[in-house]
Amino acid sequence: MSHRFNEKTINRETIFEGKVISLHVDEVELPNGKTSKREIVKHPGAVAVIPILDNGKIILVEQYRKALERTIVEIPAGKLEKGEEPENTARRELEEETGYQCETLEHLISFYTSPGFADEIIHLYLAKGLTKAEVPLAADEDEFVDLLEVSIEEAEELVRTKKIYDAKTAYAVLYLKLQKGL
Amino acid sequence: MSHRFNEKTINRETIFEGKVISLHVDEVELPNGKTSKREIVKHPGAVAVIPILDNGKIILVEQYRKALERTIVEIPAGKLEKGEEPENTARRELEEETGYQCETLEHLISFYTSPGFADEIIHLYLAKGLTKAEVPLAADEDEFVDLLEVSIEEAEELVRTKKIYDAKTAYAVLYLKLQKGL
């Protein structure tokens, strides 16, 4: 695609700057010369990790998500801290949420989660060579998770039977199968 | 999981109520009795459609996303209007974005896109029996898209070679392959 559909920012109003996200309303000039408004959430970006144990099982976390007012099953994930390399975030979040450290960490793919209103990008990693940390990093003090261990086939079945509601987790399971032939 | 990790809302501050999204900051009581704040984006929900032509190709749309300041390739998608049934949204968005009407529309799966900060849910549909509308619904006046037609194998290759950056689109392609054996 050429740049003919680009939208030029005429004005940006900052509505909110929070701990995690910020919100702007951009006034834009459209390709046809008219103007419109775009409500945009800025997010620092995040990582998600598929942790594979030596026995082939993957570790999932079940946690309460206030935005949804329910618990859901996900792969370990967390947002980038300021200036933090995604690979370091991945190692940190893996240890905080599961208690495991990993020998190898492979970047699989990065993707946008909600391009219609947010710039969040998630960097997806595969973690192998897992060992329990002797003194694991403490979880964030406002984070509480339960751990599950499932085989790839069981994870795939959870997607197929619509028991995984989280896009990144479902995508990660299917991507792993596609790309790795697992 | 029991409800032991649920977070009780102590207070909700509404920061913004826009055309598409709204933003709240919830003060919550954590399972350990402490309090924390959650920045939460409310979204009306959306649909995404995989349109399959009689020749087996799927239709993708390329459009500029202001949140990302770039164009990306996606399946047709759009947000639910107030009181609109998701299936009707799917038919409407398909016609607005591609000019096609569909004979059959099958709900495949629904998923959350960004549970860490937003409640957006996407209902994914498969559309078949496509025919060009004689007088297609007009696109939203602030929406400009280019159309692409690719085979399922080509779409899968776009995922594999990291040329599809949109999670719902990549997930939809892989889900179709997994579930439908296509």
Side-chain angles (χ1 to χ4, degrees), chain B residues 103-167:
Chain B
E103 202 169 299
T104 66
L105 196 64
E106 180 191 351
H107 178 246
L108 295 180
I109 199 163
S110 299
F111 48 82
Y112 298 111
T113 56
S114 302
F117 68 94
D119 70 346
E120 184 190 33
I121 187 167
I122 291 184
H123 308 287
L124 178 66
Y125 290 88
L126 184 63
K128 287 183 179 171
L130 302 183
T131 49
K132 272 276 178 196
E134 285 186 22
V135 186
L137 292 174
D140 288 344
E141 63 172 15
D142 62 353
E143 195 171 41
F144 302 85
V145 305
D146 271 342
L147 301 184
L148 290 80
E149 292 180 12
V150 299
S151 67
I152 307 276
E153 295 71 30
E154 286 166 336
E156 194 191 315
E157 191 60 21
L158 290 174
V159 174
R160 196 192 297 271
T161 56
K162 308 182 182 183
K163 282 171 189 149
I164 286 182
Y165 301 99
D166 174 51

Side-chain angles (χ1 to χ4, degrees), chain A residues 1-2 4-9 12 15-23 25-28 30-32 34-43 62-72 74 107-120 122 141-146 156 159-162 164-168 170-171 174-179, chain B residues 1-2 4-9 12 15-23 25-28 30-32 34-43 62-72 74 107-120 122 141-146 156 159-162 164-168 170-171 174-179:
Chain A
M1 178 184 265
S2 65
R4 66 195 166 91
F5 289 165
N6 285 12
E7 297 174 359
K8 194 178 147 196
T9 308
R12 162 163 289 189
I15 307 289
F16 176 76
E17 291 188 307
K19 267 195 317 176
V20 179
I21 56 176
S22 60
L23 175 69
V25 176
D26 284 1
E27 189 182 356
V28 299
L30 300 170
N32 62 7
K34 293 186 176 175
T35 60
S36 188
K37 293 207 170 175
R38 303 295 187 201
E39 298 162 10
I40 292 168
V41 174
K42 290 282 182 187
H43 185 280
E62 192 167 16
Q63 65 185 308
Y64 184 80
R65 291 299 202 171
K66 186 65 176 72
L68 310 180
E69 306 272 353
R70 63 173 291 184
T71 59
I72 61 169
E74 300 171 56
H107 178 247
L108 295 181
I109 199 162
S110 299
F111 49 82
Y112 298 111
T113 56
S114 302
F117 69 94
D119 70 344
E120 184 190 34
I122 291 184
E141 64 172 16
D142 61 355
E143 194 168 41
F144 301 85
V145 304
D146 272 343
E156 195 190 317
V159 174
R160 196 192 297 271
T161 55
K162 309 181 183 187
I164 286 182
Y165 301 98
D166 174 51
K168 69 176 173 300
Y171 176 38
L174 299 192
Y175 187 85
L176 193 63
K177 189 182 156 75
L178 171 78
Q179 190 76 326
Chain B
M1 179 186 263
S2 66
R4 66 197 167 88
F5 289 163
N6 285 11
E7 297 174 359
K8 193 178 148 194
T9 308
R12 162 163 289 191
I15 306 289
F16 176 75
E17 291 189 308
K19 266 195 317 175
V20 180
I21 56 176
S22 60
L23 175 68
V25 175
D26 284 0
E27 188 181 356
V28 298
L30 300 170
N32 61 7
K34 293 187 178 175
T35 60
S36 188
K37 293 207 170 175
R38 303 295 186 201
E39 299 161 9
I40 292 169
V41 174
K42 289 283 182 187
H43 185 281
E62 190 165 16
Q63 65 184 308
Y64 184 80
R65 292 298 203 172
K66 186 67 177 71
L68 310 179
E69 306 272 353
R70 63 172 291 182
T71 59
I72 60 169
E74 301 172 54
H107 178 246
L108 295 180
I109 199 163
S110 299
F111 48 82
Y112 298 111
T113 56
S114 302
F117 68 94
D119 70 346
E120 184 190 33
I122 291 184
E141 63 172 15
D142 62 353
E143 195 171 41
F144 302 85
V145 305
D146 271 342
E156 194 191 315
V159 174
R160 196 192 297 271
T161 56
K162 308 182 182 183
I164 286 182
Y165 301 99
D166 174 51
K168 69 176 171 302
Y171 176 38
L174 300 192
Y175 186 85
L176 193 63
K177 191 182 155 75
L178 171 78
Q179 191 76 327

